[in-house]
Amino acid sequence: MPTARAARTRRGVTAVLMAAVCGAATALGVLGATGRAVLVWDRVVGRPIPIVVEMPGAETGPPCPLDARYVDEPPDRLPPDALAAWQRLRSAAEQDGVRLCLNDGKRSREQQARQFAEAVQDFGSAELASRYVLQPDESMHVVGIAVDVQPLASAAWVEEHGQALGWCRRYENEPWHFEFDATYPTRGCPALLPSATGS
C-alpha cells in the first residue's frame, strides 16, 4: 500500500514530466521541426511582438564595396515584409545606378543592449548615448524594421526615393537610419525627430 509520501513524490514527478513535455512542445512550435527559429511576424494590435525580437541579426558582413569603413550585412533576419521591402528598395536603387550597403539591420535585444553599453562608454552617459542608440525595448532594429544605409550618398538616395517603397528617414541626426512601414507610400513619412530620444 503506497504511503502519502510516495503519492506526493509521484505527483511531483508527474508534474515535472508534464512541464517538460509542455516545454518541449512549446519549443518545437517556436523552433519548428528543423530546430531553427522560425520568423513569426504577425502584427496584431494588442498582441505582443513574437520571438522576432530575440532573433539575432548578423554581427557583421563583408566590406561595403563603395566604402570599406562600412559593411554590407545580409538582410535575411529582417521580418518577411521588411525583407521584401528592402529587396525592392535595393533593386530600385540599382536601376538608378546606386548601390546600397546594409551597414546595420536586425538586432536581437542582446545585440542592442551591447551596442547601447558601448555607446554609453563612447559618449560618457546614457543620456548622450541614447541620441544615437536606443535601449532594446525602444529600438526598431530589435523589432526588425530599421536599417542603417551607407555610404551617405546611398542614404541620400533612400531619403529621396524610399517613401514610395515604404522606407522613411526618422532622425535628423542620423541620415543613415530608415524605418519600414507599409503605410508610408500612402500616408507619407512622419516628421523627422531631432534624435532617437525625440530631442
Side-chain angles (χ1 to χ4, degrees), residues 63-74:
C64 173
L66 302 173
D67 188 332
R69 293 177 298 170
Y70 307 110
V71 298
D72 191 14
E73 284 184 2

Side-chain angles (χ1 to χ4, degrees), residues 3-198:
T3 65
R5 181 178 177 167
R8 279 194 309 273
T9 302
R10 261 196 316 277
R11 282 193 301 269
V13 169
T14 302
V16 168
L17 289 173
M18 289 300 293
V21 168
C22 289
T26 300
L28 186 58
V30 169
L31 296 177
T34 64
R36 294 176 40 198
V38 175
L39 282 177
V40 180
W41 196 256
D42 185 16
R43 290 189 208 168
V44 176
V45 176
R47 264 203 213 157
I49 294 175
I51 196 169
V52 171
V53 297
E54 299 303 334
M55 177 76 67
E59 289 289 343
T60 189
C64 173
L66 302 173
D67 188 332
R69 293 177 298 170
Y70 307 110
V71 298
D72 191 14
E73 284 184 2
D76 56 338
R77 294 298 176 114
L78 295 172
D81 55 347
L83 176 60
W86 169 255
Q87 291 166 336
R88 288 189 300 272
L89 182 72
R90 189 172 242 179
S91 177
E94 286 174 1
Q95 289 176 3
D96 279 358
V98 176
R99 172 77 187 252
L100 307 181
C101 289
L102 179 59
N103 194 56
D104 208 352
K106 174 69 177 90
R107 298 178 196 146
S108 67
R109 294 175 56 77
E110 177 190 347
Q111 288 170 314
Q112 187 70 25
R114 192 170 59 240
Q115 285 201 8
F116 183 76
E118 290 168 4
V120 170
Q121 291 270 344
D122 292 344
F123 290 100
S125 76
E127 181 182 348
L128 289 174
S130 64
R131 292 185 182 170
Y132 294 93
V133 181
L134 291 171
Q135 295 271 13
D137 289 338
E138 301 169 322
S139 173
M140 294 299 106
H141 283 285
V142 173
V143 176
I145 60 169
V147 296
D148 292 343
V149 176
Q150 290 290 355
L152 290 179
S154 299
W157 183 94
V158 176
E159 185 167 8
E160 184 177 342
H161 303 281
Q163 179 200 332
L165 299 165
W167 294 95
C168 290
R169 179 177 165 194
R170 296 296 295 120
Y171 309 124
E172 288 177 5
N173 70 331
E174 294 186 35
W176 54 83
H177 179 93
F178 298 88
E179 294 177 8
F180 170 71
D181 187 313
T183 67
Y184 286 162
T186 55
R187 71 179 169 114
C189 292
L192 286 178
L193 298 171
S195 72
T197 61

